[in-house]
Amino acid sequence: MPEEIVNTQAQNPKEDEPRIGVYVCNCGGNIGDVVKCEHVARTLERLPNVVVSRDNMFMCSDPGQKMIADDIKEKGVNRVVIGACSIFLHEQTFRRTLERAGLNPYLYYHIGLREQVSWVHHGTPKEATEKSIRMMAAGIAKARNMKPLEPVRLPAHRQALVIGGGVAGLRSALDLARRGLKVTLVEKSHYLGGHMAQWERVFPTNEEARPLLKRLIDQVLAEPNITIHTGAEVIGAKGYVGNYNVTIRQTPRGVRETFPNEQEAIDVCPIKRRKRFDFGLSTSKAIYRTYTGCVPESLVIDWETCTKCGECVKVAPEGMINLDEEAQEFTVDVGAVVLATGFQPYEPFYGEMGWKEFPEVITLPQLHRLLDDEGPTQGKFWWNGHPVKNVAIIHCVGSRQVEGVHRAQPDGNVNNYCSRVCCTASLSMASLIRQKAPDAKIYEVFEDIRAYGRGHEDYYTRASKNNVTFLRYFAEEIPEVRRADEKAEHPLLVKVRDHLTWGEEIEIPVDLVVLSVGMMPNPVQDLMEIFKVTPGSDRFLLEVHPKLRPVETAVNGVVLAGTAQGPMNIQESCAAASAAASKVSALIEQAKVELEPYVARVDPDKCQGSGECVKVCPQEEAIELKTFSENGNTFQRAVVTPANCNGCGVCVSACPNRAIDVQGWRLDEYEAMVSAIAADIPAWEGAA
Amino acid sequence: MTTETPQKGKILLLATLSGGYRGADMVGQGHMDYPPNTYILPVMSSAIFPPKFYIDAFEKGFDAITVMYSGTDSPYKGESEKTAEIINETYEKMKELNLDLRRLRLAAICTVCVRPFLEEVQRAESLLEEIGPLPRPLAKQGVAANVN
Ligand SMILES: Cc1cc2nc3c(=O)[nH]c(=O)nc-3n(C[C@H](O)[C@H](O)[C@H](O)COP(=O)(O)OP(=O)(O)OC[C@H]3O[C@@H](n4cnc5c(N)ncnc54)[C@H](O)[C@@H]3O)c2cc1C
């Protein structure tokens, strides 16, 4: 583990006597239309230690920030209290303002007057104004007690871990490596590329998916900074940003490398299994190759179905196949982690639009495999041994679900989000079907067409010109799929109330129904627990802020890439992956990280060495009792290791002598805030 | 003095930055109204407050306190268990003071918990409507027992 560098509470005598600047932002009317900002500012200027109290239309604007900086320089302001929009939006902006003006950036407190006052008390402006005064007074009370702080600076491993080897993980790994960082890429399956490898061709360029993917994989393979582990999963991690020690378990492949008589080894295998790569549309042996040209290329054993009969071993060159290989565990030290664990297609419930009830109902991912030249029908648009003449593609299955109409997932929530890619993916498949089966009748049964990206709308136009029939349903009345009469030419009927023809009920006879299923996150509960990241209500991994910090999680050093975070197409997945790589490299490329200084700090004058803090501390090696001697007396005092302390504060409430606090969030500051909110407030004479 | 609007009492919401405080922001972003006698303080970790802090807050002028912590979703190991332990200890002290235990509540509120946030606020409001603000000072007064 690298050695710790520094964490000290900064000392600056000039900052000891509080001279508080108070700033109330109108937020262009977002706050000012409800809260009388001038009244708030005028009232607060009468409080002790306040040397200046102002309101402004936009505190975050350049003139707003300059006003604060000028007050620091010219009026000796040494504590700043700002009432504005959410703390999560502009905390960093204002910290930098203080820094530029030469003041310690932690001598600032922020109150979210917009999200927590004006936007929630529209109808009660008088009370909202009074509440703002009290909240700002609390900030002033805290500011009086604030001490300058310095960030915790830690050495960091210049190495990143990327979890997931889909297009997002590959892109992230490559970007990181090209910035000179070492990268460990961990992929759960035995091949690289994720879902992109399963698609025939991809919008918006119509390129064949696998050759396109191969270009990226080749670049990754050529990068000496990247180490790849397939068949591998993260099973544990210790540490914190800059210094994660991650345990990885790798399932053996069973086959060392490619060999000439591979087909013979496959042929002698007595086991048949459903091929996951083809979404169950075909079978393979227990020794198989995922697809021609996959990386790694060698065959792999499916341990779930392999009986270890040894037939393949007999025909393969000696030592080539090892059925007794055991899983291996090893650790890597990394400074940051990219979660690129991707998505899984929505799995309809039994009977949902005929799913599993009728064999002629498949999903869009299965259609991709069906139309693939290397798929189960070698690309022929055939089903059940016959060419498909009529096909209906039903949109929004498992997406944009409505509570009460659709069946909820086990967590009780329906998938109310749009999966974004399925519309264009369905339209592009309609074009491909038209190419392969020029006479087929193609029906797109949709709720709304959301072909939102550059070039996506062209697919809609092309499909319309290509005699694709569009029928529009509404979510409250989803299409029904049922079996046609035995003698009917087409085995299924799709009943839909079509709102393009004024609600007419139409029954379409079809040979095949394709459910355009949405995206759900891959289940990564274990990783969420290991890295303490949280999901959103849609179960995808959650970013800190969807607009301002879109790829960072609430955990320092853990970032998101691609569809682990939400439905995205390849372009968006790669953009997010590159953003994640930038965040990681900015964080660790200097071989050190700076963390917020919010860690426990012991007051040696108050500490009696009771050891209660050590007993309750849940972190490893964050606090210990050390023996000191002074004037011949030996005594014990608690000592914090800032790098190992995460500021959980469990020690604060446990200390019988109030000798320990979390810097920046001290108990005495809260006591002062509570008193200030409860206290009477001096009136401003100018009040209306 | 600014004239204080007659209110049912003051409600203190201690909301974790990794949970309830963001939840409160989400409520704001949704422009959903709730009463203004609610004062939200951001906390890094809900485990820092000893029982005395809560009793003092009641004494100083708060009539109901809800700790909106992150529950099992807390990024801090041990935070939720320790907070629950402290709240239980505080209940013991509240019993000694004849304080209605419903005035102090621990609720897990996540970053996107808009509805649960509003429900918690409503619960505290309804409680104060039912039992009113606290007469002070606490210890001497012997507040009416309504301990659940
Ligand atoms: C039917 C369909 C058609 C589509 N067509 C197009 C198209 O034409 N054009 C387009 O731009 N987009 C298309 N998309 C979207 C595209 O597939 C995604 O944008 C892309 O695959 C996302 O890549 P990813 O790396 O985020 O996720 P994935 O492709 O899901 O890759 C994630 C990887 O992480 C691995 N993993 C999961 N969990 C773990 C773990 N715990 N440890 C290690 N590894 C793990 C998985 O095995 C997988 O390899 C389509 C999507 C669907 C459903």
Side-chain angles (χ1 to χ4, degrees):
Chain A
M1 171 141 327
E3 202 185 315
E4 170 205 338
I5 300 177
V6 62
N7 171 257
T8 51
Q9 190 161 331
Q11 298 298 329
N12 185 346
K14 271 202 287 181
E15 287 163 348
D16 281 355
E17 169 74 17
R19 292 178 61 78
I20 303 172
V22 177
Y23 304 90
V24 188
C25 182
N26 277 264
C27 196
N30 275 301
I31 297 172
D33 286 352
V34 177
V35 173
K36 284 189 183 168
C37 295
E38 193 197 350
H39 181 114
V40 175
R42 293 288 75 74
T43 306
L44 295 171
E45 73 189 356
R46 307 163 68 86
L47 295 185
N49 300 101
V50 174
V51 295
V52 54
S53 180
R54 306 178 189 275
D55 69 310
N56 189 274
M57 193 45 85
F58 287 109
M59 281 318 311
C60 61
S61 66
D62 285 349
Q65 291 187 54
K66 184 171 180 301
M67 177 195 282
I68 299 171
D70 288 349
D71 286 345
I72 292 169
K73 288 182 205 151
E74 291 159 19
K75 295 196 180 329
V77 164
N78 62 10
R79 305 280 190 283
V80 172
V81 176
I82 298 173
C85 57
S86 166
I87 185 173
F88 301 112
L89 297 182
H90 279 306
E91 189 180 43
Q92 297 303 326
T93 313
F94 292 121
R95 274 196 193 159
R96 282 195 291 270
T97 309
L98 266 66
E99 228 166 0
R100 282 198 299 273
L103 191 62
N104 182 290
Y106 294 94
L107 291 171
Y108 142 65
Y109 186 69
H110 191 110
I111 293 118
L113 292 185
R114 192 179 71 181
E115 278 77 355
Q116 297 188 5
V117 182
S118 64
W119 277 356
V120 289
H121 307 317
H122 302 95
T124 47
K126 186 164 173 283
E127 288 81 357
T129 302
E130 189 189 303
K131 176 171 171 176
S132 302
I133 294 170
R134 289 184 186 280
M135 294 307 295
M136 294 291 288
I140 292 165
K142 177 174 164 115
R144 280 190 204 107
N145 293 336
M146 283 189 311
K147 301 264 188 300
L149 300 172
E150 287 297 323
V152 178
R153 298 195 175 94
L154 299 170
H157 297 289
R158 291 186 79 251
Q159 175 151 351
L161 172 70
V162 177
I163 307 180
V167 68
L170 292 165
R171 184 71 257 172
S172 264
L174 188 60
D175 284 9
L176 285 162
R178 286 182 173 170
R179 288 196 181 91
L181 297 175
K182 294 253 180 254
V183 182
T184 302
L185 177 68
V186 172
E187 165 56 45
K188 191 175 178 175
S189 75
H190 283 281
Y191 71 98
L192 294 176
H195 283 102
M196 188 174 162
Q198 290 170 289
W199 310 148
E200 210 282 338
R201 49 190 66 233
V202 283
F203 66 77
T205 49
N206 259 357
E207 275 163 283
E208 282 182 57
R210 285 186 293 280
L212 183 64
L213 183 63
K214 186 71 176 23
R215 267 164 41 201
L216 179 62
I217 293 177
D218 284 346
Q219 290 173 42
V220 168
L221 295 178
E223 193 38 79
N225 278 338
I226 302 177
T227 308
I228 301 168
H229 304 283
T230 54
E233 275 182 277
V234 169
I235 55 164
K238 280 190 289 193
Y240 40 82
V241 57
N243 295 285
Y244 279 111
N245 179 255
V246 181
T247 308
I248 295 164
R249 180 188 288 136
Q250 189 167 30
T251 327
R253 203 174 177 85
V255 183
R256 210 175 61 211
E257 56 195 46
T258 53
F259 56 93
N261 62 334
E262 283 174 337
Q263 193 54 49
E264 204 184 332
I266 294 172
D267 291 342
V268 295
C269 174
I271 304 295
K272 262 194 184 176
R273 59 185 272 278
R274 291 239 158 246
K275 197 168 176 188
R276 241 171 271 148
F277 188 77
D278 283 339
F279 298 104
L281 289 188
S282 68
T283 55
S284 78
K285 295 295 183 69
I287 180 167
Y288 68 100
R289 168 167 290 114
T290 309
Y291 66 90
T292 315
C294 64
V295 176
E297 210 191 342
S298 64
L299 299 178
V300 58
I301 308 280
D302 175 31
W303 301 110
E304 272 175 36
T305 50
C306 173
T307 57
K308 299 198 178 182
C309 68
E311 290 301 317
C312 57
V313 182
K314 286 183 204 155
V315 297
E318 206 183 324
M320 189 57 78
I321 299 176
N322 182 353
L323 299 180
D324 298 319
E325 236 181 307
E326 303 232 314
Q328 289 197 351
E329 283 181 18
F330 54 95
T331 61
V332 287
D333 290 323
V334 295
V337 179
V338 179
L339 294 175
T341 49
F343 74 98
Q344 56 180 347
Y346 169 80
E347 167 82 19
F349 294 108
Y350 177 88
E352 186 175 1
M353 299 191 197
W355 175 246
K356 296 258 157 129
E357 200 182 346
F358 310 123
E360 299 85 357
V361 178
I362 63 168
T363 63
L364 186 64
Q366 288 180 320
L367 178 68
H368 263 272
R369 298 306 311 134
L370 200 65
L371 296 179
D372 198 310
D373 290 345
E374 291 171 32
T377 57
Q378 288 78 47
K380 282 188 293 187
F381 190 39
W382 280 41
W383 187 252
N384 241 353
H386 303 287
V388 178
K389 291 185 189 143
N390 289 8
V391 56
I393 303 176
I394 306 180
H395 288 225
C396 289
V397 180
S399 306
R400 301 180 65 203
Q401 292 180 320
V402 180
E403 237 173 89
V405 174
H406 294 95
R407 199 158 127 189
Q409 291 295 312
D411 68 355
N413 294 334
V414 293
N415 297 346
N416 55 9
Y417 53 87
C418 166
S419 290
R420 295 159 54 98
V421 298
C422 354
C423 278
T424 312
S426 299
L427 294 167
S428 87
M429 282 297 103
S431 293
L432 192 58
I433 293 172
R434 177 58 72 235
Q435 272 175 36
K436 301 213 170 211
D439 299 328
K441 286 201 176 113
I442 308 169
Y443 300 92
E444 293 265 0
V445 184
F446 71 100
E447 230 184 299
D448 291 298
I449 296 287
R450 294 185 169 179
Y452 63 92
R454 183 184 291 158
H456 295 203
E457 187 71 10
D458 296 348
Y459 285 88
Y460 178 61
T461 317
R462 204 173 309 141
S464 308
K465 284 187 184 152
N466 266 338
N467 280 335
V468 173
T469 308
F470 286 86
L471 298 137
R472 184 178 189 194
Y473 71 95
F474 285 166
E476 310 80 67
E477 203 176 351
I478 47 184
E480 260 175 56
V481 178
R482 64 181 180 86
R483 177 66 74 212
D485 289 344
E486 244 175 58
K487 289 192 198 112
E489 192 187 342
H490 306 282
L492 293 181
L493 288 168
V494 178
K495 188 164 98 180
V496 54
R497 187 171 297 285
D498 172 37
H499 291 273
L500 295 177
T501 51
W502 304 279
E504 191 182 339
E505 196 174 280
I506 296 175
E507 276 201 323
I508 332 164
V510 291
D511 307 306
L512 191 66
V513 169
V514 179
L515 305 181
S516 184
V517 292
M519 289 187 177
M520 304 238 321
N522 261 327
V524 285
Q525 197 58 40
D526 49 348
L527 293 177
M528 285 188 218
E529 271 160 34
I530 290 170
F531 293 108
K532 306 276 173 271
V533 293
T534 44
S537 55
D538 56 8
R539 302 171 219 96
F540 286 96
L541 297 175
L542 194 64
E543 65 288 321
V544 176
H545 190 280
K547 292 178 191 158
L548 300 170
R549 293 173 68 190
V551 296
E552 291 160 87
T553 68
V555 181
N556 264 321
V558 181
V559 299
L560 306 174
T563 51
Q565 191 186 3
M568 294 181 195
N569 61 36
I570 294 165
Q571 183 189 14
E572 292 159 341
S573 299
C574 286
S578 290
S582 301
K583 282 286 164 197
V584 166
S585 59
L587 189 68
I588 60 172
E589 112 190 297
Q590 302 300 323
K592 60 176 191 234
V593 286
E594 277 200 358
L595 301 183
E596 294 283 30
Y598 307 136
V599 293
R601 184 169 189 273
V602 178
D603 181 341
D605 296 334
K606 288 189 189 161
C607 178
Q608 299 293 312
S610 75
E612 289 302 317
C613 51
V614 181
K615 275 188 225 155
V616 296
C617 177
Q619 292 301 114
E620 274 170 45
E621 296 173 24
I623 192 161
E624 61 183 320
L625 279 183
K626 279 194 176 163
T627 306
F628 295 85
S629 51
E630 202 178 73
N631 303 329
N633 295 328
T634 308
F635 53 89
Q636 288 200 306
R637 294 288 177 265
V639 177
V640 176
T641 304
N644 293 340
C645 173
N646 66 2
C648 74
V650 167
C651 53
V652 178
S653 48
C655 177
N657 305 305
R658 286 197 56 169
I660 192 161
D661 251 309
V662 175
Q663 297 189 126
W665 303 96
R666 296 198 322 269
L667 199 49
D668 62 341
E669 292 173 342
Y670 280 106
E671 288 167 340
M673 290 168 95
V674 164
S675 301
I677 295 174
D680 292 335
I681 291 163
W684 168 48
E685 288 81 3
Chain B
M1 303 280 294
T2 42
T3 49
E4 178 157 340
T5 329
Q7 280 176 345
K8 289 167 266 176
K10 288 195 180 70
I11 299 168
L12 177 63
L13 305 176
L14 296 167
T16 54
L17 283 162
S18 58
Y21 200 76
R22 283 176 193 273
D25 269 9
M26 285 279 276
V27 173
Q29 281 152 17
H31 290 259
M32 290 171 216
D33 266 53
Y34 55 88
N37 59 333
T38 40
Y39 297 90
I40 310 174
L41 291 184
V43 299
M44 271 262 289
S45 155
S46 53
I48 70 165
F49 304 108
K52 185 173 180 310
F53 174 84
Y54 296 107
I55 303 295
D56 286 352
F58 284 131
E59 184 75 86
K60 284 173 185 170
F62 284 98
D63 303 288
I65 304 174
T66 303
V67 183
M68 295 185 161
Y69 74 151
S70 315
T72 48
D73 288 342
S74 166
Y76 303 116
K77 202 166 126 195
E79 181 200 6
S80 58
E81 295 83 352
K82 184 68 185 173
T83 307
E85 197 184 303
I86 295 168
I87 296 292
N88 281 334
E89 281 172 41
T90 312
Y91 283 150
E92 291 307 312
K93 301 229 179 309
M94 288 173 73
K95 280 184 200 162
E96 286 166 23
L97 290 167
N98 271 344
L99 295 184
D100 190 319
L101 301 193
R102 289 175 298 168
R103 290 186 188 272
L104 175 62
R105 226 180 110 74
L106 184 58
I109 304 286
C110 70
T111 54
V112 291
C113 285
V114 169
R115 217 184 302 158
F117 177 93
L118 291 170
E119 279 165 12
E120 281 306 326
V121 170
Q122 190 47 52
R123 193 193 299 261
E125 294 291 343
S126 308
L127 177 73
L128 293 191
E129 235 158 61
E130 181 195 330
I131 62 175
L134 272 169
R136 296 182 176 82
L138 303 180
K140 286 178 210 148
Q141 201 82 24
V143 181
N146 191 2
V147 180
N148 283 359

